[in-house]
Amino acid sequence: MSILKTLQEPNPILRETAEPVKPENGSFLHLKNLCTDMRQTMKVLNGIGIAASQVGESKRIFLVDKQSFLDIDLPSDIFINPKLIKKSFKRVVGEEGCLSVRGIFGTVKRALAVTVEAYDLNNKKFRLSGKGLLARVLQHETDHLEGKLFIDRADPDSLHVYIKEENDE
Ligand code: NI
């Protein structure tokens, strides 16, 4: 297991449209190790989601932090080739940050609820519906796969710098 380097805006890899994962291409072991390292990296950096492009792999994979959603029975924390198949009309504003835009936060209007279809590490298809914070994370991470960052969608007046002080929790 290792902690991976997270690319920072304006790294061009963050702006690429990520490639679909094809099970017949590349090794399963590489995919498994990549996901393990991404999970570890997300935890160390206190992220609630991470996309493969953020660690330099332009692939359609993201992970969601299970610990942040203990009340939800996530079928998998690994989302391979995910697709947003449903989005509520109702949208809500909420604050976001990103491991690739370190120290910047801002508010983004997103669908209140979404349904995602994806594959887990065993290539089993699953469907997950979420609302609130989970829906927000699923949309934020799906955006990464299209080379979009939350700062593109954020209300420009809301963007602000927050540097964590040593005496913060
Ligand atoms: Ni992000």
Side-chain angles (χ1 to χ4, degrees):
M1 256 190 320
S2 43
I3 308 301
L4 305 170
K5 192 182 150 202
T6 48
L7 305 184
Q8 296 299 305
E9 161 79 350
N11 190 301
I13 294 176
L14 294 170
R15 297 309 193 164
E16 286 176 9
T17 302
E19 291 291 323
V21 176
K22 295 184 185 136
E24 66 273 22
N25 292 352
S27 87
F28 170 74
L29 195 62
H30 173 73
L31 201 63
K32 195 177 167 211
N33 288 339
L34 172 66
C35 289
T36 303
D37 290 347
M38 281 170 64
R39 189 185 289 121
Q40 191 69 8
T41 305
M42 171 175 65
K43 280 194 186 306
V44 165
L45 299 174
N46 290 317
I48 54 175
I50 190 168
S53 64
Q54 295 184 272
V55 295
E57 296 246 9
S58 200
K59 292 189 174 125
R60 302 189 81 80
I61 304 172
F62 67 71
L63 271 77
V64 164
D65 176 39
K66 271 196 161 171
Q67 301 301 315
S68 302
F69 301 103
L70 286 175
D71 53 330
I72 299 162
D73 189 21
L74 291 181
S76 167
D77 64 338
I78 298 170
F79 296 71
I80 298 172
N81 295 334
K83 275 199 183 102
L84 278 181
I85 57 167
K86 236 194 264 174
K87 255 185 180 183
S88 65
F89 285 112
K90 183 161 183 181
R91 300 204 298 160
V92 283
V93 171
E95 178 144 288
E96 294 185 22
C98 180
L99 298 178
S100 295
V101 196
R102 213 70 66 74
I104 308 275
F105 296 86
T107 58
V108 185
K109 203 182 222 184
R110 304 240 190 221
L112 171 68
V114 296
T115 301
V116 171
E117 211 169 70
Y119 294 83
D120 67 14
L121 209 45
N122 300 312
N123 204 29
K124 191 173 161 229
K125 197 180 200 174
F126 66 92
R127 213 175 250 206
L128 173 67
S129 295
K131 58 180 185 175
L133 183 61
L134 179 59
R136 182 164 295 278
V137 175
L138 293 171
Q139 291 170 85
H140 176 119
E141 299 309 327
T142 304
D143 270 355
H144 273 297
L145 309 183
E146 303 305 330
K148 266 201 165 53
L149 299 175
F150 85 96
I151 46 173
D152 308 341
R153 297 194 189 274
D155 169 1
D157 295 331
S158 75
L159 290 172
H160 60 281
V161 179
Y162 176 75
I163 306 292
K164 205 171 151 87
E165 302 284 345
E166 297 241 341
N167 56 5
D168 276 8
E169 295 240 319

